[in-house]
């Protein structure tokens, strides 16, 4: 006859020796304890972790122990689901034998796989970002392929912008024409304009001197009468 209590006691003592830092007894009847399982360190010293709770049934190991995940770190829901399925599979395969060490070892391997998957996933994400950046750079270098559709769209936009520029220019020219003053308007605004040239010369130190000898009396000038000219012929004037 199998002594279930003896087998459970011997396994418990062995587990306490194997996992001295992570084994914790919660109760004696029924025997309940937890074991915290941590993965090996990943690329950036990151780890994943879970705490498993086991309870011996009366006829363990001929009956599978009760088990559950009471806490976890850095695991998502899919990881937790996979670990529960793994425990179910291992418990079924090891019925009739003490199995806690086997279950914990299987979970340990699973956590190491998850860390490797995290590393692989991050590498893929990095490569994907590099590919996207490279593709974006190619697009900037080669430009967008010209099609009839995008050319017509570009031309319509270009024509609209050009028309707007012309309108603004015409408006500015029209406004400038309205603001331009005529000579009369400038004179009316500043009556000193008629003497500005003289003032300019005087300010520059120049004076205007008139040589009166250049002007003579009209009577002193010897002007020949056209009639006294022997070559004068009024007829010829008419013919011209």
């Amino acid at each position: 006859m199998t002594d279930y209590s003896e087998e459970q006691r011997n396994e418990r003592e062995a587990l306490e020796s194997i996992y001295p830092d992570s084994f914790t007894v919660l109760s004696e009847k029924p025997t309940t304890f937890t074991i915290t399982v941590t993965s090996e360190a990943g690329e950036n010293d990151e780890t994943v972790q879970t705490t498993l709770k086991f309870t011996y049934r009366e006829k363990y190991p001929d009956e599978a122990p009760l088990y559950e995940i009471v806490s976890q770190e850095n695991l998502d829901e899919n990881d937790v689901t996979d670990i529960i399925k793994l425990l179910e599979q291992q418990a079924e395969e090891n019925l009739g034998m003490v199995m806690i060490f086997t279950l914990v070892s299987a979970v340990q391997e699973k956590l190491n796989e998850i860390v490797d998957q995290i590393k692989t996933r991050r590498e893929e994400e990095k490569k994907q970002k590099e590919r996207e950046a490279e593709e974006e750079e190619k697009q900037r270098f080669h430009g967008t392929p010209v099609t009839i559709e995008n050319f017509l769209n570009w031309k319509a936009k270009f024509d609209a912008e050009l028309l707007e520029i012309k309108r603004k220019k015409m408006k500015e020219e029209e406004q400038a024409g309205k603001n331009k003053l005529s000579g009369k308007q400038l004179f009316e605004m500043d009556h000193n304009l008629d003497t500005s040239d003289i003032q300019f010369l005087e300010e520059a130190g120049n004076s205007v001197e008139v040589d009166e000898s250049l002007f003579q009396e009209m009577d002193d000038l010897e002007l020949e009468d056209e009639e006294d000219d022997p070559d004068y012929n009024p007829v010829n004037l008419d013919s011209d």
Side-chain angles (χ1 to χ4, degrees), residues 88-107:
E88 291 175 355
Q89 177 187 351
Q90 291 295 318
E92 184 177 350
E93 292 177 358
N94 290 277
L95 278 177
M97 299 180 290
V98 289
M99 65 180 75
I100 302 301
F101 177 77
T102 301
L103 298 182
V104 173
S105 297
V107 171

Side-chain angles (χ1 to χ4, degrees), residues 95-147:
L95 278 177
M97 299 180 290
V98 289
M99 65 180 75
I100 302 301
F101 177 77
T102 301
L103 298 182
V104 173
S105 297
V107 171
Q108 177 79 61
E109 292 181 5
K110 182 64 177 178
L111 296 183
N112 292 339
E113 290 178 6
I114 292 172
V115 170
D116 290 339
Q117 291 171 359
I118 292 174
K119 176 183 177 181
T120 301
R121 184 166 58 246
R122 287 181 177 175
E123 290 177 349
E124 287 297 325
E125 291 175 352
K126 182 180 178 181
K127 290 180 180 179
Q128 180 63 26
K129 289 180 179 179
E130 290 175 351
R131 286 193 293 268
E132 291 175 356
E134 183 178 344
E135 185 64 26
E136 184 178 348
E137 185 66 22
K138 287 182 179 179
Q139 289 293 336
R140 285 200 298 264
F141 181 76
H142 294 292
T144 303
V146 177
T147 63

Side-chain angles (χ1 to χ4, degrees), residues 3-43:
D3 187 348
Y4 297 114
S5 297
E6 182 68 18
E7 290 195 37
Q8 293 173 12
R9 184 170 54 255
N10 291 338
E11 182 184 45
R12 171 181 162 178
E13 290 176 357
L15 293 171
E16 287 178 317
S17 177
I18 296 171
Y19 306 107
D21 299 326
S22 60
F23 185 93
T24 303
V25 176
L26 300 180
S27 68
E28 296 292 342
K29 292 185 179 181
T31 300
T32 303
F33 53 87
T34 61
I35 298 176
T36 299
V37 188
T38 305
S39 71
E40 296 177 357
E43 183 179 19

Side-chain angles (χ1 to χ4, degrees), residues 144-238:
T144 303
V146 177
T147 63
I148 295 177
E149 182 179 1
N150 61 28
F151 173 76
L152 292 176
N153 290 336
W154 170 85
K155 188 175 186 304
K157 183 178 179 181
F158 176 79
D159 291 343
E161 292 177 352
L162 186 61
L163 180 60
E164 182 64 22
I165 292 173
K166 289 181 178 179
R167 287 177 178 173
K168 289 182 178 180
K169 186 176 181 181
M170 292 176 62
K171 187 175 181 179
E172 291 174 356
E173 291 177 350
E174 180 181 353
Q175 188 65 32
K178 291 180 179 179
N179 294 335
K180 186 176 181 181
L181 298 177
S182 65
K184 181 179 179 182
Q185 291 173 322
L186 290 171
F187 180 79
E188 291 175 348
M189 293 176 62
D190 187 355
H191 296 290
N192 294 323
L193 290 176
D194 56 343
T195 59
S196 61
D197 290 343
I198 297 175
Q199 292 176 354
F200 174 76
L201 292 172
E202 291 178 349
E203 291 173 358
N206 298 325
S207 61
V208 180
E209 296 182 357
V210 179
D211 188 354
E212 295 180 358
S213 65
L214 296 177
F215 300 92
Q216 301 178 1
E217 293 293 337
M218 293 297 294
D219 295 340
D220 296 336
L221 295 178
E222 296 181 358
L223 300 177
E224 294 183 355
D225 191 350
E226 291 180 350
E227 295 180 356
D228 296 333
D229 186 355
D231 296 327
Y232 174 74
N233 188 351
V235 177
N236 291 338
L237 293 176
D238 294 339

Side-chain angles (χ1 to χ4, degrees), residues 33-74:
F33 53 87
T34 61
I35 298 176
T36 299
V37 188
T38 305
S39 71
E40 296 177 357
E43 183 179 19
N44 299 318
D45 293 330
E46 59 192 354
T47 60
V48 293
Q49 179 177 288
T50 183
T51 298
L52 306 174
K53 177 182 176 183
F54 296 100
T55 301
Y56 286 149
R57 289 182 176 178
E58 183 180 353
K59 295 182 179 182
Y60 172 82
D62 288 339
E63 292 180 320
L66 300 176
Y67 48 81
E68 62 179 299
I69 295 176
V70 294
S71 67
Q72 57 85 15
E73 291 182 10
N74 302 324

